[in-house]
Amino acid sequence: MDRDFKNEVFSSFDPNPVQPCDECGRKPKSALKMLNPENGHIVRMFKCQCGAQTWTETKE
């Protein structure tokens, strides 16, 4: 069994991929993470180097 291939596949796994910025295409950085008490979802806010801000809401 080729263990190098197996390690390479699992090391690139990203459970919460960040979408590229709509303005410039770069990967924004996480700015804030908080709980929405109304529905129990996690809200993540992102800010890009170009100044654009986005957010996602996921149930965890």
Side-chain angles (χ1 to χ4, degrees), residues 2-6 9 11 13 15 18 20 23 25 29-32 34-35 38 40 42 45 47:
D2 187 359
R3 293 183 188 267
D4 291 333
F5 177 73
K6 183 177 180 182
V9 171
S11 66
F13 176 71
V18 177
E23 302 295 322
K29 301 213 185 276
S30 179
L32 185 64
M34 61 188 146
L35 175 67
E38 293 180 5
I42 301 293
M45 299 178 81
K47 186 168 185 174

Side-chain angles (χ1 to χ4, degrees), residues 21-24 28-29 46-55:
C21 175
D22 290 334
E23 302 295 322
C24 68
K29 301 213 185 276
F46 302 95
K47 186 168 185 174
C48 186
Q49 292 175 357
C50 71
Q53 296 179 349
T54 58
W55 62 276

